[in-house]
Amino acid sequence: MQQKILAWPRAMKRLVVVGMDVALSLLATWLAFSLRLDNPNWPDEVQLRVYVLAPLLAIPVFIRLGLYRAIFRYTGQAALLTTAKAVAVYGTFFLGVLLWTRWDNVPRTLGVLQPLVFLLLVGSSRALARFWLVGQVQSVGIQSRFLIYGAGMAGAQTAAALGMDGQFRLLGFVDDDPTKTGRSINGVPVHAASELADLVSRKGITDILLALPSVTRERRNRIIESLRHLPVHIRTLPGMADLTSGRVTVQDFRELDIEDLLGRDPVPPDPELLARDLARQVVLVTGAGGSIGSELCRQIAGQQPSRLLLLDHSEFALYSIHQELQALSLVSGWAVELVPLLGSVNHETCLLEICRQYNPHTIYHAAAYKHVPMVEANPAEGVRNNVFGTLKMARVARDCGVARFVLISTDKAVRPTSVMGASKRMAELVLQAMAAEAGQTCFSMVRFGNVLGSSGSVVPLFRRQLAAGGPLTVTHQDVTRYFMTIPEAAQLVLQAGAMAKGGEVFVLNMGEPVRILDMARRMIELSGLTVRDAQNPDGDIEIAITGMRPGEKLYEELLIGGDPALTIHPRIMTAREDCMTWAGLQPCLEKLARACDAGDKDTIRVVFGECVGMASQ
């Protein structure tokens, strides 16, 4: 029945509602007469005029105030207030006509009583229609039954935003605050966190939505970890701006990523350090469209340099970050000139023209090929980009008098086993050798591990594999990696670069390394699914061990030597490592260049073995 009504043409639906309001106006008039005269009303000829007057006044007022544009199953507080306003306007006209005409046998108090009864009937009809329509949808198409973890303002707004979605049914709130337990929010009970397992089992809960925007990362991690054993799908809030706008649906709630377990509460940045090389300066970011490069651009733009130069060899990546930054600048009111530059760090003439034309104060060199198997399969191109691209950019920076040059390096440069790692260590040696030479440019490097969500990262790969039904692929059961969120890494890079005196290798504190197999299990469990293995052959998603790839290491390190030196920032250290002089490094670079030109993979590996101690395959 409900589906048939929803399928009616809009004009027919409105006609039915108008007819219902006419009937309700007549009923309200009869009830008002009966209540006022204390007897069931059988209208005489004069009183019939009132019965005609009521719908003739009510329907035009309702049309004018838009009551027939509302959709009953989405009726909320705003629509009910509009209804009250419309009846108030109608009541004013109704009372005015009765006072003016002074019909016999028509009490003047009817002008107040009838609109009040009419408001009660119209409001009730809208509410009943809404509950009937939504209830029918839920009874037919209900798929998910959910709880909201967090009974604060965000939880209440979440419930209001999702209240109209017939595919989900809110069965309760959960909160750790004992003063909220046992109470209710808009008729929905608030339960203690200790009751969660029983609630999930007893009420058949399928989803838990986290509405905890203000808790610390550590507290949030503990809550998520406590939910892992429950057979539920865990999701979290979108941005609060979207939530309060009223545009949010269930589909807008984002999946829990593994960063919700691995991320840390960031250390508040030092404003003076952040702004030192950025505010009112000209800044160049190479690889501006990449994962790290784009986040560097966002944070640099927030410090309002006079000009931000975006250099990338990918047209689409450059277009994307340029458009995003333009939109952010418009919203935030940043007075920064954005200059998109399409080019490669291997084109030294192009780099020279850029630096001469724009005279950058600081360069953040994020351009690199970083996918280990891809560079392993194409070593010459990887070396050209990572080693000689860095050399050319650094040489141009020195020749043009750039004040600061910061290289984005990687933990794979430490005792490398891959061409990619060896190329990044060689790039570090290039900058260390140039820093030892006299010059105006302050060269430094910032070394860190994997960033969550970057291109080539395991997290987006696992997400795609989960969406496809598995399996999740892990190269080795013991492989571990360091992880950090992209915003935290970029923020620390900017602060580390500002502390440089020349030649430092800064190392970011990445926290504890994470076992990739454990990460895969967490992502499966946080999706409300189970791991299929020998102990649970009926599970949902399998984890497949595929074997180590060429150049891959079981464990990553951040330091070549030991005993790093502390800095003024608790998560930034400086490595104490040996380096080569330019005289010692130059013959290696010349030999490496000839090997790249000849496409000689074996010689590339030999040079890397001699210079950076890359392990042979």
Side-chain angles (χ1 to χ4, degrees), residues 117-141:
V117 176
F118 191 30
L119 174 61
L120 179 62
L121 293 175
V122 172
S124 299
S125 69
R126 268 46 173 183
L128 288 173
R130 173 192 179 276
F131 286 121
W132 181 74
L133 289 170
V134 173
Q136 289 293 318
V137 171
Q138 289 179 339
S139 63
V140 174

Side-chain angles (χ1 to χ4, degrees), residues 316-390:
F316 177 73
L318 183 61
Y319 171 81
S320 299
I321 187 60
H322 184 233
Q323 291 292 306
E324 180 185 341
L325 291 176
Q326 281 186 318
L328 281 173
S329 297
L330 189 63
V331 171
S332 305
W334 295 336
V336 53
E337 180 185 352
L338 302 168
V339 182
L341 300 166
L342 194 59
S344 169
V345 291
N346 273 309
H347 297 160
E348 193 163 359
T349 303
C350 172
L351 300 178
L352 195 58
E353 290 176 357
I354 289 171
C355 287
R356 284 175 175 169
Q357 179 179 353
Y358 295 104
N359 192 27
H361 175 273
T362 304
I363 296 175
Y364 293 94
H365 184 57
Y369 291 143
K370 59 185 179 180
H371 193 262
V372 170
M374 192 67 69
V375 175
E376 206 68 21
N378 302 275
E381 282 304 310
V383 171
R384 284 193 190 99
N385 194 67
N386 294 358
V387 177
F388 294 105
T390 301

Side-chain angles (χ1 to χ4, degrees), residues 368-576:
Y369 291 143
K370 59 185 179 180
H371 193 262
V372 170
M374 192 67 69
V375 175
E376 206 68 21
N378 302 275
E381 282 304 310
V383 171
R384 284 193 190 99
N385 194 67
N386 294 358
V387 177
F388 294 105
T390 301
L391 173 61
K392 291 172 183 176
M393 188 73 257
R395 194 156 51 199
V396 167
R398 179 197 62 195
D399 294 345
C400 293
V402 173
R404 290 182 176 272
F405 185 103
V406 182
L407 169 69
I408 310 303
S409 191
T410 171
D411 58 357
K412 293 173 178 61
V414 178
R415 283 181 274 275
T417 58
S418 66
V419 174
M420 195 283 282
S423 68
K424 293 297 286 184
R425 177 56 187 152
M426 185 67 87
E428 291 181 353
L429 291 176
V430 166
L431 289 196
Q432 287 174 313
M434 293 183 70
E437 303 284 315
Q440 301 178 42
T441 305
C442 175
F443 293 102
S444 63
M445 296 130 274
V446 184
R447 184 190 293 161
F448 53 92
N450 300 273
V451 288
L452 293 161
S454 69
S455 59
S457 167
V458 70
V459 173
L461 173 63
F462 281 170
R463 195 182 298 122
R464 291 193 299 270
Q465 291 175 337
L466 267 174
L472 270 59
T473 55
V474 178
T475 57
H476 190 283
Q477 62 181 9
D478 293 323
V479 67
T480 63
R481 292 291 181 266
Y482 288 99
F483 285 96
M484 179 179 283
T485 64
I486 295 177
E488 182 181 14
Q491 189 182 90
L492 292 175
V493 165
L494 297 178
Q495 293 176 90
M499 290 190 286
K501 303 298 182 184
E504 297 97 335
V505 177
F506 292 101
V507 179
L508 302 187
N509 180 347
M510 303 286 292
E512 295 299 318
V514 177
R515 192 165 171 247
I516 302 300
L517 185 63
D518 294 338
M519 179 187 290
R521 289 183 176 275
R522 286 176 183 173
M523 289 193 73
I524 291 172
E525 292 166 354
L526 291 174
S527 297
L529 304 172
T530 57
V531 178
R532 186 192 312 148
D533 54 19
Q535 289 73 37
N536 185 23
D538 297 323
D540 302 303
I541 303 290
E542 180 186 2
I543 298 176
I545 306 297
T546 60
M548 298 289 286
R549 299 172 297 184
E552 192 172 29
K553 298 167 70 174
L554 268 182
Y555 309 102
E556 298 290 5
E557 305 167 274
L558 289 168
L559 296 169
I560 295 174
D563 192 27
L566 301 178
T567 70
I568 59 174
H569 196 289
R571 290 189 182 166
I572 301 174
M573 303 170 288
T574 53
R576 292 170 174 162

Side-chain angles (χ1 to χ4, degrees), residues 3 43 67 122 166 208 262 276 288 317 329 429 496 499 504 509 511 544 594 598-599 604:
Q3 295 296 332
L67 260 62
V122 172
I208 293 179
L262 301 182
R276 182 181 298 172
S329 297
L429 291 176
M499 290 190 286
E504 297 97 335
N509 180 347
R594 289 192 296 271
I604 289 173

Side-chain angles (χ1 to χ4, degrees), residues 242-256:
D242 291 330
L243 185 67
T244 55
S245 71
R247 297 189 301 268
V248 174
T249 67
V250 172
Q251 288 71 32
D252 294 314
F253 278 73
R254 68 175 178 87
E255 298 296 325
L256 263 184

Side-chain angles (χ1 to χ4, degrees), residues 65 89 202 249 272 495 550:
L65 294 182
V89 172
R202 181 162 44 87
T249 67
E272 191 276 329
Q495 293 176 90

